[in-house]
């Protein structure tokens, strides 16, 4: 655990030195602040606009951080040849991979905390300045704590995306890793279409392939409950727990695959 912590902390320190990371977070915070102005242009939908744009900004900029940092976690060490010095130390390749992943997850957690804090600050200001009559028309309070359910699922989804990016980074270039990761993210949000492929084209072999891909590729649709929390629709706890369990299993498989590939690589 001490070795994992050492690797994770070093990844976090290296990530926070990246100016691109600060630019993404600052832009996300500015977008959340701008959502207040955008909300003023709507009639009675201002709080929903701020909530929706805030969650969308957290998910989008979190995805950028996960992809653009995750794809270089292993490649940078190989390119700079620092991998030789690292592997000469008492650290296994499995510890190296898991530590890298933990460091990026820590980076994601800190940056998401900043974005969520800014988002709740805008919502709190909105709730404090609006008239009581307008506040009574809201389906949920401005700083409704149930919105954290969506934030948690966004974070866990980004953890899964990070594992995907790390998996691809163990055997491909950053450009290819980014393309594959983003491609899987897009497919993951439309995975349900593969399950119902026979409704589009009733060809048995293609239906079997589509069904196999449905179970093989990540299903990210259940992680998106933004519309529900924005409109005050209750999300069952069992649904959230099942989604979290799915993410844990998928992340474990991806990390196991990344470790297996990384162990087979020869850096001599």
């Amino acid at each position: 655990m001490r070795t994992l912590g050492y690797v994770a902390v070093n990844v976090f320190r290296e990530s926070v030195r990246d100016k691109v990371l600060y630019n993404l977070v600052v832009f996300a915070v500015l977008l959340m602040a701008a959502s207040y102005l955008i909300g003023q242009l709507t009639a009675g939908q201002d709080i929903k606009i701020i909530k929706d744009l805030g969650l969308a900004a957290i998910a989008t900029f979190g995805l950028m951080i996960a992809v653009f940092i995750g794809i270089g976690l292993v490649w940078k060490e190989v390119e700079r040849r620092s991998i030789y010095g690292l592997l000469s130390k008492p650290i296994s390749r499995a510890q190296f991979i898991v530590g890298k992943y933990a460091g990026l997850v820590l980076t994601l957690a800190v940056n998401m905390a900043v974005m969520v804090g800014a988002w709740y600050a805008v919502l709190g200001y909105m709730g404090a300045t609006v008239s009581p009559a307008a506040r009574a028309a809201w389906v949920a309070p401005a700083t409704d704590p149930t919105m954290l359910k969506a934030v948690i699922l966004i974070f866990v989804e980004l953890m899964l995306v990070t594992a995907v990016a790390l998996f691809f980074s163990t055997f491909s270039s950053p450009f290819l890793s980014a393309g594959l990761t983003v491609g899987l993210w897009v497919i993951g949000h439309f995975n349900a279409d593969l399950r119902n492929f026979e409704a589009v084209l009733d060809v048995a072999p293609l239906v079997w392939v589509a069904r196999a891909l449905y179970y093989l590729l990540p299903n990210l649709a259940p992680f998106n409950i933004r519309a529900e929390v924005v409109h005050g629709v209750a999300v069952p706890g069992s649904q959230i727990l099942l989604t979290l369990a799915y993410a844990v299993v998928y992340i474990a498989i991806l990390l196991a695959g990344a470790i297996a590939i990384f162990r087979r690589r020869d850096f001599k």
Side-chain angles (χ1 to χ4, degrees):
M1 292 301 295
R2 181 178 299 178
T3 303
L4 290 178
Y6 171 79
V7 176
V9 169
N10 276 276
V11 171
F12 177 75
R13 289 175 177 172
E14 184 177 348
S15 298
V16 296
R17 295 192 194 107
D18 197 333
K19 292 182 179 179
V20 175
L21 183 65
Y22 290 107
N23 292 335
L24 289 173
V25 175
V26 169
F27 192 77
V29 171
L30 290 176
L31 179 60
M32 292 175 195
S35 67
Y36 174 78
L37 301 176
I38 297 173
Q40 300 304 305
L41 302 177
T42 62
Q45 300 296 319
D46 46 1
I47 192 65
K48 292 181 180 179
I49 293 292
I50 297 173
K51 289 181 178 181
D52 200 27
L53 282 179
L55 287 171
I58 292 170
T60 302
F61 289 99
L63 175 67
M64 292 181 182
I65 293 171
V67 172
F68 290 115
I69 296 181
I71 59 176
L73 283 178
V74 176
W75 181 84
K76 283 183 180 179
E77 302 292 353
V78 177
E79 185 70 13
R80 294 182 303 196
R81 298 186 181 277
S82 57
I83 188 70
Y84 302 103
L86 287 171
L87 295 182
S88 65
K89 298 178 180 179
I91 174 175
S92 68
R93 298 197 180 197
Q95 289 173 325
F96 175 80
I97 291 295
V98 177
K100 287 283 187 181
Y101 176 75
L104 183 49
V105 169
L106 176 60
T107 304
L108 273 173
V110 171
N111 285 278
M112 278 195 64
V114 173
M115 291 188 284
V116 171
W119 179 50
Y120 263 87
V122 173
L123 290 171
Y125 177 78
M126 182 71 183
T129 56
V130 75
S131 66
R135 192 183 302 115
W138 294 346
V139 295
T143 55
D144 186 6
T146 59
M147 293 187 300
L148 292 176
K149 293 181 180 179
V151 173
I152 291 172
L153 288 186
I154 289 173
F155 177 65
V156 176
E157 178 187 349
L158 294 177
M159 288 177 62
L160 199 158
V161 172
T162 299
V164 171
L166 179 61
F167 173 79
F168 287 131
S169 73
T170 58
F171 62 86
S172 62
S173 66
F175 182 78
L176 181 58
S177 297
L180 292 172
T181 302
V182 174
L184 276 184
W185 179 82
V186 173
I187 294 172
H189 282 279
F190 297 95
N191 205 348
D193 294 336
L194 294 174
R195 183 178 57 183
N196 303 318
F197 189 78
E198 63 271 16
V200 179
L201 188 62
D202 191 10
V203 179
L206 294 180
V207 171
W208 295 337
V209 171
R211 188 62 59 87
L213 290 175
Y214 169 75
Y215 290 107
L216 179 64
L217 299 177
N219 183 14
L220 303 179
F223 294 91
N224 185 3
I225 60 170
R226 298 196 295 267
E228 287 85 346
V229 298
V230 168
H231 293 89
V233 178
V235 180
S238 58
Q239 176 185 336
I240 295 176
L241 291 176
L242 185 61
T243 304
L244 294 178
Y246 171 82
V248 169
V249 172
Y250 211 102
I251 289 170
I253 293 173
L254 287 170
L255 290 180
I259 292 170
I261 294 172
F262 195 62
R263 279 176 173 166
R264 296 177 64 88
R265 293 193 61 175
D266 186 7
F267 298 105
K268 297 180 180 178

